[in-house]
Amino acid sequence: TYHQIVTELSPTEWIYGDFTTYVITHNKSNSNEQILFIDENPIDLLEKLKQQDGKDIWICGGQQLITPLIQANMIDEYHISMIPTLIGKGTRLFEDFDQETRLSLIKTYVYNGIVDIEYQKKY
């Protein structure tokens, strides 16, 4: 996700400039004050971040990042963007996981042909 942002979506400017960004990666990269490259279990990272001052934690990534967090019941809201491209094959949105997670629709909106859907976990 980080690579796609800096090479395709916004190569000249970091679009999350108001936030501290943690990039979970096995590749060694130089961190700065704004972007921290770490090789850490996402569950451990979220548990640490929840202990710090701040508001919400926003997670952007693929199934390898999201699935363990779903299994650990650590995600409260899902923001899913549907881009109008039929590719036939590709990476699944979610890996298999053991439990069912029920969601409630918060809202949908459309921009530039993309449909964004927001769901909240039912309690």
Side-chain angles (χ1 to χ4, degrees), residues 15-89:
I15 56 177
Y16 304 113
D18 294 338
F19 306 103
T20 301
T21 301
Y22 296 85
V23 179
I24 298 176
T25 179
H26 299 295
N27 300 322
K28 298 285 184 189
S29 296
N30 292 327
S31 297
N32 58 45
E33 288 181 14
Q34 193 174 32
I35 304 171
L36 303 168
F37 296 91
I38 59 173
D39 185 4
E40 188 171 340
N41 179 306
I43 294 170
D44 295 340
L45 175 61
L46 252 60
E47 287 174 348
K48 286 181 197 174
L49 292 175
K50 284 181 164 191
Q51 301 304 315
Q52 298 176 7
D53 290 337
K55 193 170 167 46
D56 296 327
I57 300 169
W58 182 54
I59 302 160
C60 181
Q63 63 174 309
Q64 290 179 331
L65 175 63
I66 300 302
T67 300
L69 299 174
I70 292 171
Q71 290 174 321
N73 199 29
M74 297 184 83
I75 300 177
D76 298 320
E77 290 185 9
Y78 294 81
H79 296 236
I80 300 170
S81 297
M82 294 175 31
I83 300 170
T85 303
L86 301 176
I87 57 175
K89 293 183 179 181

